Amino acid sequence: MISVDSLSFRYQGAEQDALHDITFTVKKGEWLAVLGHNGSGKSTLAKCLNGLYLPSSGTVTAAGFDTRSDETVMQLRRRVGMVFQNPDNQLVATTVSDDVAFGLENAGIEREQMRKRVKESISLLGLTGLEASEPHRLSGGQKQRVALAGIMALEPDVVILDEATAMLDPKGRSEVLAMIHTLRERGVTIITITHDVSEAVDADHLLVLKDGRTVTHAPPKEVFRDDAILAHAGLVAPYAVQVARALQARGIALPDVMTEEELVMALCTYTQKT
Ligand SMILES: Nc1ncnc2c1ncn2[C@@H]1O[C@H](COP(=O)(O)OP(=O)(O)OP(=O)(O)O)[C@@H](O)[C@H]1O
């Protein structure tokens, strides 16, 4: 679904590449989380994936479209939706329904079909009952869900969330993370850009960047157990992983865990056994 081959990108006037020789693929229905500290190139990569930025060298193909092709750029944008960090910058209409319909109107979708897709998308994102609400009166998490509903109405193949939870409180953050799981169940390919390791534990693969270069591209379990990789990338393992490893180092026989829920379950099993 996404194929990035030897991608390098340099901002105009910059002395070095913001992305250097990046290669990876993402299969249909997979979730890739891109991790890295500030300035590692995550957002630049996200914008390369839907053609907002074009490669200085190498190629990016998303949903079957080469991002450099002028003829297919509109199809590419429809197939590859993007949610950004600030929910307030993404909502354009005066009601939730109109906002969700906005992209469909631009795409020239016929009225009856548009109504149907808006309704479905609002329901999928758990916004039923808020159709007539003014978007600016919603919570941050609800606003991001409206932005996602607008994208889902266009029936995309890929959804990229660029730090989409960064400005949200814990409730809003868990709302958006829950929606990622919903989209995934529907077979949508997901790319999340984050510097919060705990938000990446459920992804199929992690792409870890440092100074615009790939540090590793591997499943979360492999990455989070590799101290050398984490230290090199300036990251720390998720809290549950750290606690489990500290207990294992003290001779407590726990399995490897990734989330706080898994840690609690492992501790319950351990205490029942001993
Ligand atoms: N518009 C721009 N012009 C020139 N250089 C830029 C521009 N935007 C980003 N950069 C540079 O490109 C590099 C990668 O930036 P990018 O924003 O992609 O990193 P990031 O990992 O998303 O960072 P953050 O976590 O802070 O959002 C950095 O060195 C940054 O200074």
Side-chain angles (χ1 to χ4, degrees), residues 9-11 13-19 211:
F9 178 84
R10 185 174 293 199
Y11 285 98
E15 283 177 6
Q16 54 189 25
D17 291 344
L19 295 174
D211 301 334

Side-chain angles (χ1 to χ4, degrees), residues 92-106:
V92 288
T94 52
T95 68
V96 166
S97 281
D98 287 352
D99 210 287
V100 176
F102 185 76
L104 294 171
E105 270 172 20
N106 281 347

Side-chain angles (χ1 to χ4, degrees), residues 11-12 14 17-19 36-45 53 85 162-163 193 195:
Y11 285 98
Q12 216 169 7
D17 291 344
L19 295 174
H37 60 68
N38 292 124
S40 55
K42 305 182 298 295
S43 291
T44 305
L45 175 62
Y53 294 161
Q85 186 176 113
D162 184 2
E163 301 274 9
I193 310 291
H195 55 254

Side-chain angles (χ1 to χ4, degrees), residues 155-229:
E155 299 179 343
D157 297 309
V158 182
V159 174
I160 302 170
L161 296 106
D162 184 2
E163 301 274 9
T165 59
M167 295 178 72
L168 305 182
D169 62 16
K171 182 167 178 283
R173 187 173 285 227
S174 55
E175 280 175 24
V176 171
L177 289 174
M179 289 305 131
I180 292 175
H181 288 278
T182 305
L183 303 195
R184 195 190 198 186
E185 279 157 22
R186 294 180 62 107
V188 178
T189 306
I190 312 272
I191 314 274
T192 53
I193 310 291
T194 181
H195 55 254
D196 183 341
V197 288
S198 69
E199 291 191 4
V201 292
D202 288 331
D204 296 302
H205 296 279
L206 306 185
L207 177 72
V208 181
L209 297 180
K210 185 188 180 198
D211 301 334
R213 291 167 193 265
T214 303
V215 174
T216 188
H217 179 210
K221 270 197 174 134
E222 263 177 50
V223 176
F224 292 141
R225 78 159 76 99
D226 192 328
D227 289 332
I229 291 260

Side-chain angles (χ1 to χ4, degrees), residues 227-239:
D227 289 332
I229 291 260
L230 291 171
H232 178 61
L235 299 171
V236 288
Y239 179 68

